[in-house]
Short mmCIF file of all heavy atoms in Angstrom, two decimals:
data_model
loop_
_atom_site.label_atom_id
_atom_site.label_comp_id
_atom_site.label_asym_id
_atom_site.label_seq_id
_atom_site.Cartn_x
_atom_site.Cartn_y
_atom_site.Cartn_z
N ILE A 3 157.21 146.69 109.27
CA ILE A 3 155.83 146.35 109.63
C ILE A 3 154.85 147.19 108.85
O ILE A 3 153.77 146.68 108.46
CB ILE A 3 155.60 146.49 111.17
CG1 ILE A 3 156.48 145.47 111.92
CG2 ILE A 3 154.14 146.28 111.53
CD1 ILE A 3 156.25 144.03 111.54
N GLY A 4 155.21 148.45 108.60
CA GLY A 4 154.34 149.26 107.79
C GLY A 4 154.18 148.71 106.37
O GLY A 4 153.07 148.75 105.78
N LEU A 5 155.25 148.22 105.82
CA LEU A 5 155.19 147.55 104.50
C LEU A 5 154.24 146.36 104.50
O LEU A 5 153.45 146.15 103.60
CB LEU A 5 156.61 147.14 104.03
CG LEU A 5 156.72 146.25 102.81
CD1 LEU A 5 156.12 146.95 101.59
CD2 LEU A 5 158.16 145.81 102.61
N ILE A 6 154.39 145.52 105.55
CA ILE A 6 153.53 144.36 105.66
C ILE A 6 152.10 144.76 105.79
O ILE A 6 151.19 144.12 105.17
CB ILE A 6 153.96 143.49 106.91
CG1 ILE A 6 155.38 142.99 106.77
CG2 ILE A 6 153.00 142.33 107.11
CD1 ILE A 6 155.69 142.24 105.51
N LYS A 7 151.80 145.83 106.50
CA LYS A 7 150.44 146.29 106.65
C LYS A 7 149.92 146.76 105.30
O LYS A 7 148.73 146.52 104.96
CB LYS A 7 150.37 147.41 107.72
CG LYS A 7 148.96 147.86 107.99
CD LYS A 7 148.14 146.74 108.66
CE LYS A 7 146.77 147.17 109.06
NZ LYS A 7 145.96 146.09 109.59
N SER A 8 150.73 147.44 104.53
CA SER A 8 150.34 147.88 103.19
C SER A 8 149.98 146.70 102.30
O SER A 8 149.00 146.72 101.54
CB SER A 8 151.37 148.76 102.57
OG SER A 8 151.56 149.97 103.29
N LEU A 9 150.84 145.69 102.34
CA LEU A 9 150.56 144.45 101.56
C LEU A 9 149.28 143.81 102.03
O LEU A 9 148.45 143.38 101.21
CB LEU A 9 151.72 143.49 101.69
CG LEU A 9 153.02 143.89 101.00
CD1 LEU A 9 154.15 142.95 101.45
CD2 LEU A 9 152.89 143.87 99.50
N GLU A 10 149.09 143.71 103.33
CA GLU A 10 147.87 143.12 103.85
C GLU A 10 146.59 143.85 103.35
O GLU A 10 145.66 143.21 102.92
CB GLU A 10 147.95 143.13 105.39
CG GLU A 10 146.73 142.55 106.08
CD GLU A 10 146.82 142.66 107.58
OE1 GLU A 10 147.77 142.12 108.14
OE2 GLU A 10 145.94 143.34 108.17
N ASN A 11 146.69 145.18 103.47
CA ASN A 11 145.53 145.95 102.96
C ASN A 11 145.31 145.77 101.49
O ASN A 11 144.16 145.68 101.03
CB ASN A 11 145.76 147.46 103.31
CG ASN A 11 145.65 147.72 104.78
OD1 ASN A 11 145.09 146.95 105.56
ND2 ASN A 11 146.26 148.86 105.20
N GLY A 12 146.41 145.72 100.72
CA GLY A 12 146.27 145.55 99.30
C GLY A 12 145.68 144.19 98.91
O GLY A 12 144.78 144.14 98.07
N PHE A 13 146.12 143.17 99.55
CA PHE A 13 145.53 141.81 99.27
C PHE A 13 144.09 141.79 99.67
O PHE A 13 143.22 141.24 98.96
CB PHE A 13 146.30 140.71 100.01
CG PHE A 13 147.51 140.25 99.33
CD1 PHE A 13 148.79 140.59 99.73
CD2 PHE A 13 147.42 139.50 98.15
CE1 PHE A 13 149.94 140.10 99.08
CE2 PHE A 13 148.55 139.03 97.48
CZ PHE A 13 149.81 139.37 97.93
N GLN A 14 143.76 142.38 100.82
CA GLN A 14 142.38 142.40 101.28
C GLN A 14 141.46 143.07 100.24
O GLN A 14 140.42 142.52 99.93
CB GLN A 14 142.30 143.11 102.62
CG GLN A 14 140.93 143.03 103.29
CD GLN A 14 140.94 143.58 104.70
OE1 GLN A 14 141.63 144.50 105.00
NE2 GLN A 14 140.13 142.95 105.54
N GLN A 15 141.85 144.18 99.73
CA GLN A 15 141.05 144.91 98.74
C GLN A 15 140.83 144.11 97.49
O GLN A 15 139.76 143.97 96.95
CB GLN A 15 141.66 146.26 98.45
CG GLN A 15 141.79 147.14 99.64
CD GLN A 15 141.37 148.59 99.40
OE1 GLN A 15 141.19 149.00 98.22
NE2 GLN A 15 141.25 149.35 100.41
N LYS A 16 141.97 143.48 96.99
CA LYS A 16 141.87 142.70 95.76
C LYS A 16 141.03 141.47 95.95
O LYS A 16 140.23 141.09 95.06
CB LYS A 16 143.27 142.38 95.28
CG LYS A 16 144.15 143.48 94.85
CD LYS A 16 143.67 144.15 93.63
CE LYS A 16 144.61 145.30 93.16
NZ LYS A 16 144.13 146.00 91.99
N LEU A 17 141.17 140.80 97.08
CA LEU A 17 140.45 139.57 97.35
C LEU A 17 139.00 139.80 97.54
O LEU A 17 138.18 138.87 97.22
CB LEU A 17 141.06 138.85 98.53
CG LEU A 17 142.48 138.25 98.28
CD1 LEU A 17 143.08 137.79 99.61
CD2 LEU A 17 142.43 137.14 97.26
N LEU A 18 138.61 140.96 97.98
CA LEU A 18 137.16 141.26 98.14
C LEU A 18 136.42 141.31 96.80
O LEU A 18 135.19 141.22 96.76
CB LEU A 18 136.98 142.55 98.90
CG LEU A 18 137.21 142.47 100.46
CD1 LEU A 18 137.23 143.88 101.03
CD2 LEU A 18 136.19 141.64 101.07
N ASP A 19 137.19 141.42 95.71
CA ASP A 19 136.58 141.34 94.40
C ASP A 19 136.25 139.93 94.00
O ASP A 19 135.48 139.68 93.07
CB ASP A 19 137.53 141.95 93.35
CG ASP A 19 137.73 143.44 93.51
OD1 ASP A 19 136.81 144.10 94.10
OD2 ASP A 19 138.76 143.97 93.05
N LYS A 20 136.83 138.94 94.72
CA LYS A 20 136.67 137.56 94.38
C LYS A 20 135.92 136.73 95.44
O LYS A 20 135.29 135.72 95.13
CB LYS A 20 138.07 136.87 94.17
CG LYS A 20 138.86 137.48 93.06
CD LYS A 20 140.26 136.82 93.00
CE LYS A 20 141.12 137.41 91.87
NZ LYS A 20 140.59 136.97 90.53
N TYR A 21 136.03 137.14 96.70
CA TYR A 21 135.49 136.33 97.82
C TYR A 21 134.67 137.25 98.75
O TYR A 21 134.80 138.47 98.73
CB TYR A 21 136.59 135.66 98.60
CG TYR A 21 137.50 134.77 97.79
CD1 TYR A 21 138.74 135.20 97.35
CD2 TYR A 21 137.12 133.48 97.48
CE1 TYR A 21 139.56 134.35 96.61
CE2 TYR A 21 137.97 132.63 96.71
CZ TYR A 21 139.18 133.11 96.28
OH TYR A 21 140.02 132.33 95.57
N ASP A 22 133.82 136.60 99.59
CA ASP A 22 133.05 137.39 100.59
C ASP A 22 133.96 137.78 101.70
O ASP A 22 135.08 137.25 101.88
CB ASP A 22 131.87 136.57 101.09
CG ASP A 22 132.25 135.33 101.79
OD1 ASP A 22 132.94 135.36 102.85
OD2 ASP A 22 131.84 134.19 101.31
N ILE A 23 133.51 138.72 102.53
CA ILE A 23 134.33 139.29 103.58
C ILE A 23 134.82 138.28 104.61
O ILE A 23 135.94 138.36 105.08
CB ILE A 23 133.58 140.49 104.26
CG1 ILE A 23 134.44 141.15 105.35
CG2 ILE A 23 132.26 139.97 104.89
CD1 ILE A 23 135.68 141.84 104.81
N ASP A 24 133.95 137.32 104.92
CA ASP A 24 134.34 136.31 105.93
C ASP A 24 135.53 135.45 105.43
O ASP A 24 136.44 135.17 106.21
CB ASP A 24 133.17 135.41 106.26
CG ASP A 24 132.07 136.10 107.04
OD1 ASP A 24 132.38 137.15 107.67
OD2 ASP A 24 130.93 135.64 107.05
N ARG A 25 135.46 135.11 104.19
CA ARG A 25 136.57 134.28 103.66
C ARG A 25 137.84 135.09 103.50
O ARG A 25 138.92 134.58 103.80
CB ARG A 25 136.13 133.68 102.26
CG ARG A 25 137.04 132.48 101.91
CD ARG A 25 136.42 131.78 100.73
NE ARG A 25 137.14 130.48 100.53
CZ ARG A 25 136.98 129.77 99.43
NH1 ARG A 25 136.19 130.17 98.43
NH2 ARG A 25 137.67 128.64 99.36
N VAL A 26 137.69 136.32 103.10
CA VAL A 26 138.90 137.20 103.01
C VAL A 26 139.54 137.40 104.38
O VAL A 26 140.75 137.33 104.54
CB VAL A 26 138.55 138.54 102.36
CG1 VAL A 26 139.70 139.51 102.43
CG2 VAL A 26 138.13 138.33 100.87
N THR A 27 138.69 137.62 105.34
CA THR A 27 139.20 137.77 106.76
C THR A 27 139.96 136.54 107.19
O THR A 27 140.99 136.61 107.84
CB THR A 27 138.04 138.06 107.71
OG1 THR A 27 137.35 139.28 107.32
CG2 THR A 27 138.51 138.20 109.17
N MET A 28 139.42 135.36 106.82
CA MET A 28 140.10 134.12 107.17
C MET A 28 141.46 134.06 106.51
O MET A 28 142.47 133.68 107.16
CB MET A 28 139.22 132.92 106.76
CG MET A 28 139.84 131.57 107.05
SD MET A 28 139.02 130.19 106.26
CE MET A 28 139.44 130.47 104.55
N PHE A 29 141.52 134.40 105.20
CA PHE A 29 142.79 134.37 104.49
C PHE A 29 143.81 135.29 105.16
O PHE A 29 144.96 134.90 105.38
CB PHE A 29 142.61 134.86 103.05
CG PHE A 29 141.85 133.96 102.13
CD1 PHE A 29 141.09 134.44 101.09
CD2 PHE A 29 141.94 132.55 102.29
CE1 PHE A 29 140.45 133.62 100.25
CE2 PHE A 29 141.27 131.69 101.43
CZ PHE A 29 140.53 132.22 100.39
N ILE A 30 143.40 136.49 105.53
CA ILE A 30 144.28 137.46 106.05
C ILE A 30 144.77 137.05 107.47
O ILE A 30 145.95 137.20 107.82
CB ILE A 30 143.61 138.89 106.15
CG1 ILE A 30 143.31 139.37 104.75
CG2 ILE A 30 144.53 139.85 106.89
CD1 ILE A 30 144.49 139.60 103.84
N THR A 31 143.85 136.47 108.27
CA THR A 31 144.20 136.00 109.61
C THR A 31 145.25 134.90 109.55
O THR A 31 146.22 134.91 110.24
CB THR A 31 142.92 135.54 110.36
OG1 THR A 31 142.02 136.64 110.47
CG2 THR A 31 143.30 135.02 111.71
N HIS A 32 144.99 133.92 108.66
CA HIS A 32 145.94 132.79 108.51
C HIS A 32 147.24 133.29 107.99
O HIS A 32 148.32 132.75 108.31
CB HIS A 32 145.33 131.69 107.69
CG HIS A 32 144.26 130.92 108.38
ND1 HIS A 32 144.43 130.36 109.62
CD2 HIS A 32 142.98 130.57 107.99
CE1 HIS A 32 143.31 129.72 110.00
NE2 HIS A 32 142.42 129.81 109.00
N ALA A 33 147.23 134.24 107.08
CA ALA A 33 148.46 134.77 106.50
C ALA A 33 149.32 135.46 107.57
O ALA A 33 150.53 135.28 107.60
CB ALA A 33 148.15 135.77 105.39
N LYS A 34 148.68 136.19 108.47
CA LYS A 34 149.39 136.82 109.60
C LYS A 34 150.07 135.75 110.44
O LYS A 34 151.21 135.86 110.86
CB LYS A 34 148.44 137.63 110.49
CG LYS A 34 148.00 138.92 109.90
CD LYS A 34 147.07 139.60 110.91
CE LYS A 34 146.51 140.90 110.40
NZ LYS A 34 145.56 141.50 111.34
N GLU A 35 149.30 134.67 110.75
CA GLU A 35 149.83 133.62 111.57
C GLU A 35 151.00 132.94 110.90
O GLU A 35 152.05 132.56 111.54
CB GLU A 35 148.71 132.59 111.89
CG GLU A 35 147.60 133.15 112.79
CD GLU A 35 146.41 132.21 112.87
OE1 GLU A 35 146.40 131.19 112.14
OE2 GLU A 35 145.46 132.52 113.62
N SER A 36 150.92 132.69 109.60
CA SER A 36 151.97 132.08 108.85
C SER A 36 153.19 132.94 108.84
O SER A 36 154.36 132.46 109.02
CB SER A 36 151.54 131.83 107.41
OG SER A 36 150.53 130.85 107.33
N PHE A 37 153.00 134.25 108.65
CA PHE A 37 154.14 135.18 108.66
C PHE A 37 154.84 135.14 109.99
O PHE A 37 156.13 135.11 109.99
CB PHE A 37 153.65 136.59 108.33
CG PHE A 37 154.72 137.64 108.37
CD1 PHE A 37 155.79 137.61 107.49
CD2 PHE A 37 154.69 138.65 109.32
CE1 PHE A 37 156.78 138.59 107.52
CE2 PHE A 37 155.67 139.65 109.38
CZ PHE A 37 156.75 139.61 108.47
N MET A 38 154.13 135.15 111.05
CA MET A 38 154.77 135.11 112.37
C MET A 38 155.59 133.81 112.59
O MET A 38 156.66 133.83 113.20
CB MET A 38 153.70 135.23 113.47
CG MET A 38 152.99 136.56 113.50
SD MET A 38 154.13 138.03 113.59
CE MET A 38 154.86 137.74 115.18
#
């Protein structure tokens, strides 16, 4: 789970260079749901 959290944080930081915070939050939320 720690590895998954590190990946999540990494994607979040990289995606903030391309998208606004609301859209990045949506990506991360849906990614968590997909993973589960």
Side-chain angles (χ1 to χ4, degrees):
I3 294 303
L5 169 62
I6 298 305
K7 187 64 179 176
S8 294
L9 290 170
E10 180 182 299
N11 291 339
F13 276 108
Q14 186 171 35
Q15 300 223 348
K16 295 291 183 184
L17 290 171
L18 283 171
D19 293 335
K20 299 176 178 291
Y21 303 100
D22 62 61
I23 184 64
D24 290 338
R25 198 165 189 195
V26 171
T27 300
M28 180 192 70
F29 288 150
I30 297 298
T31 299
H32 286 309
K34 285 180 182 177
E35 293 170 354
S36 293
F37 177 64
M38 295 305 296

